[in-house]
Amino acid sequence: MQQWKKRGTYHSVLEAIQEMSGLTEEELLSPSHIEPNRIQNIPEAAECIRACAITQGMPVVIVGDYDADGITSTAILVKLLGHFGVRTKTIIPKRFTDGYGISESLIQGITNSLIITIDNGVSAIEPIRAAKAAGNTVIVLDHHLPQDTLPEADLIVDPHIFPEKNGYEHYCGAGLAYKLAEFLCASESSQQKKGLFFDLLVLACIGTLADVVPLTGDNRYLVIAGLRVINHKTWFYQLSSGIQAILNLADRPYDEDTIKFQIAPILNAAGRLYNAGSSSVLKALLSEDDTQSLVFASKMKQINEERKRLVTHWLTIAAAAAEEQSQTPLLTVCCPGMPEGILGILAGKLAESFHRPAFLFSSVMGNPELLKGSGRTYLDFDLSPLLPLISPYVETAGGHAGAAGITVSQAHYPQMVRAMVQYMEDNPLPEQEDVLYYDLDLSEDELPAALETLKSHAPYGQGVEKPVFALRNYCLVSKGTKTHRQMGKQQEHIKLFGRFADAVGFQLAEAYQSLGCPSTVDLLGSIGENTFRGVTSLQFQFHAIQASQEPLLP
């Protein structure tokens, strides 16, 4: 039987938030704003841009990335330089044919220009050497971990190179682009830059949340400030029409979950399904035309719906194939024809469902002799040592502890799989207890106060996790003639009706029924809000359910 265990000795919601994050209440509520001159090479990068682009009129080329952070950070730089009258050329790599980051083919023919890489570049040794040989000035703005050798760029802004020389080191690409904008516009009055910085702040907020960097320090400051702009009735309508139209696709009020689970997937969807889809998303974010912005946003919404449909369809196929590997220590599933852009999403879902690392492969567009794969780990098992072991068999392999990307020929695929399985047999996953952990016990009448504490100390994310609550003796009440309702196309979800809050469990209708539909249950989950037809109500979202262990007193 599954056990629920409490971790920590927290006595209140606030204590749990503080102890889990390691932050004081002041650091949670009023995080430090780092002046941009405390980020190594930001002042020098700003002066280089001022001298080359603003004063001398040198052509500017911005090379971004195809994910939400790469697109929002590119948009920040385009808007920033446009503010100074500088027109820019943007290059967003095509996901399937270009791959991640700057490459020599992407910048071929560019000479005597200022090239700015954003959200990439710190590992691009040869492409940047080629760019310099062609007479270009190169500035790298990147937040990825540096290799042993740094590129020969004119300037590199990456706080991870020398963390001790930076006031804060955990920015994403959009955060670094915003710090550059702060420095370049420091001498302007608030009125001069007000409209521009509403856009830039919101873009930095979206990029930071989408890229799942720590929500501490200056990142936390940027996200809180960005959400304040988005939720301010007057300020929202001062945003550019493209940003407004995309934000209007999500539910109000906006919080960190709205951005992470509604806006970010919409920004990522086009690049997952179409080779040059992310370039269209950038156009949408930069649009200043109301009618055009609505058309762009509508199309992006349709693409995201198609992305969700494809994930559902291919997950069924991949899960069926994975069932045949029930005895293997990791999953290696090949599904020819699966869209390359959803491999990572589905690998993550398989890893969670089958409780082991999972690798999904599909045929490469235009080259059926090659397979491209994406891997996701399970729990905290480190995948990175596996990658050098398979290098004799693969074309490319890269990644980190939690995720990996692999390109391999059809001919060498079986050898690669054998090497991966052998590695897992030699380094097995630790024995797993059937245990779910939580942080604090609550009763239903404590939910409203707990919600207020949670809301006042938001946002939550990496580094500042929401506590997991055990809701004890949740007593169902009748609404009309029912105490609960099944939802979803397959009636797979369940909503339980309570006195102070309803409780929703996704994919848990069968679990509730298997208990015999008891009138009092214990739930494990989180506290939030649900807005329906303009009415917002408290809601408990649970991921585990048991019949109550302690009977209610009369």
Side-chain angles (χ1 to χ4, degrees), residues 532-544:
F532 182 67
R533 293 178 180 171
V535 178
T536 300
S537 58
L538 194 159
Q539 180 173 277
F540 191 84
Q541 184 173 323
F542 62 95
H543 57 263

Side-chain angles (χ1 to χ4, degrees), residues 243-370:
I243 295 174
Q244 280 190 48
I246 291 170
L247 288 171
N248 278 330
L249 298 175
D251 299 330
R252 298 170 184 269
Y254 302 103
D255 59 18
E256 65 272 25
D257 288 343
T258 311
I259 304 300
K260 285 188 284 190
F261 302 123
Q262 295 185 49
I263 297 299
I266 288 171
L267 295 180
N268 282 321
R272 290 190 183 280
L273 299 192
Y274 300 100
N275 199 22
S278 296
S279 294
S280 298
V281 176
L282 178 62
K283 288 179 184 177
L285 284 174
L286 295 173
S287 174
E288 300 286 349
D289 179 270
D290 290 349
T291 302
Q292 183 189 59
S293 296
L294 290 173
V295 172
F296 278 141
S298 176
K299 182 64 176 175
M300 288 167 65
K301 183 177 181 180
Q302 290 174 20
I303 292 171
N304 191 47
E305 291 302 314
E306 173 65 5
R307 190 268 309 168
K308 289 191 279 189
R309 187 193 69 78
L310 286 170
V311 166
T312 300
H313 169 74
W314 282 101
L315 181 59
T316 302
I317 296 171
E323 289 286 358
E324 299 176 8
Q325 301 181 24
S326 60
Q327 302 304 312
T328 60
L330 87 165
L331 300 174
T332 50
V333 177
C334 187
C335 295
M338 179 182 287
E340 186 181 319
I342 62 173
L343 287 172
I345 297 174
L346 293 174
K349 290 181 180 293
L350 288 183
E352 286 301 313
S353 296
F354 289 85
H355 309 299
R356 72 194 81 164
F359 289 79
L360 260 181
F361 292 85
S362 181
S363 46
V364 171
M365 181 189 298
N367 190 345
E369 296 303 311
L370 288 180

